[in-house]
Amino acid sequence: MRKADSTGASKNSVPDQRKAKRLAVSFILAPVLLTLLWAVGERLTTERVEESPVAKLQIGSRAPLFEFPLLGGGSASLMGQKNKVVLINVWATWCVPCLDEMPDLQRLYARMQNRGAPFEILAVSIDALGADAVRKFVDRFGLSFPILLDPHGSIKKLYHTTGVPETFIVDRQGRLLQKIIGVRKWDAPEVVAYLKRAAGS
């Protein structure tokens, strides 16, 4: 009769311990791998903008000209807004603060339009997926100001943006008056008064 191996239990437990360690490591690495996959997907679905030398944008300098397709057809350009104060809002549908300020921008736009002020908002979406990603948000907020589509993100290079939302106010002579990083209460009385003065109305 063979004698039972007293070390059998410990030998059997070694593979179990290794299996448990591999399982623990997989739980730890899974979020890391998912993050890496998300980052790769983000790079693949976002168009790159070719590097090119652009003069530094300063207050008082000429605002860089641009023209982009409009949501709903046609196109709009900064040059086409001559003799108007223009509020250029760079935004994206995946930016929660951008969406938070949209109703304020709409109220500002309505007030300035009601007064007949020489004023325009050009809201430039940098969504890489273009019109389909933007349209439902425009409908949701009932936006009536022009929505421009820049899926290649060209505006980021032209205006040296570092994120979204970023807003630029251009005077009636085409010079940069203000650069605003982040959200603002665009329909606040002091903001409306400032823009009315800038527009000369």
Side-chain angles (χ1 to χ4, degrees):
M1 184 175 191
R2 294 183 63 182
K3 186 176 180 180
D5 188 349
S6 61
T7 62
S10 61
K11 284 181 179 178
N12 289 337
S13 66
V14 171
D16 291 339
Q17 290 174 0
R18 287 178 183 165
K19 187 176 179 181
K21 284 182 181 178
R22 283 197 299 269
L23 191 60
V25 169
S26 67
F27 276 121
I28 293 169
L29 290 179
V32 176
L33 291 172
L34 286 172
T35 301
L36 288 172
L37 287 171
W38 175 85
V40 170
E42 184 73 11
R43 290 288 296 273
L44 290 174
T45 57
T46 302
E47 296 284 350
R48 290 185 60 118
V49 178
E50 293 298 322
E51 296 289 335
S52 59
V54 178
K56 187 175 181 182
L57 192 60
Q58 297 179 334
I59 301 301
S61 64
R62 300 291 296 181
L65 298 177
F66 57 82
E67 181 172 358
F68 296 117
L70 276 168
L71 183 70
S75 65
S77 68
L78 182 58
M79 183 178 283
Q81 312 303 323
K82 286 184 177 179
N83 205 32
K84 291 182 182 179
V85 169
V86 182
L87 187 153
I88 303 164
N89 181 254
V90 182
W91 70 290
T93 60
W94 42 260
C95 163
V96 175
C98 298
L99 304 182
D100 288 343
E101 70 178 0
M102 282 296 171
D104 295 342
L105 283 169
Q106 178 58 39
R107 284 190 288 271
L108 167 66
Y109 187 67
R111 288 180 187 179
M112 297 296 280
Q113 292 293 304
N114 287 340
R115 289 184 63 91
F119 172 80
E120 187 61 274
I121 293 177
L122 298 179
V124 183
S125 162
I126 60 169
D127 286 88
L129 298 179
D132 290 339
V134 175
R135 186 171 288 106
K136 63 181 179 180
F137 289 95
V138 171
D139 293 342
R140 171 183 169 188
F141 293 111
L143 305 179
S144 60
F145 49 80
I147 305 294
L148 287 68
L149 304 174
D150 178 22
H152 301 291
S154 304
I155 194 81
K156 295 186 287 184
K157 186 61 62 179
L158 279 174
Y159 280 78
H160 304 278
T161 63
T162 56
V164 283
E166 287 193 22
T167 303
F168 303 85
I169 299 173
V170 179
D171 70 13
R172 296 177 68 175
Q173 288 72 47
R175 296 186 299 260
L176 184 64
L177 279 177
Q178 295 284 339
K179 174 181 179 177
I180 299 101
I181 297 175
V183 177
R184 290 293 183 275
K185 184 70 175 169
W186 290 109
D187 60 340
E190 61 272 19
V191 174
V192 176
Y194 169 79
L195 291 170
K196 285 178 180 177
R197 286 195 302 272
S201 62

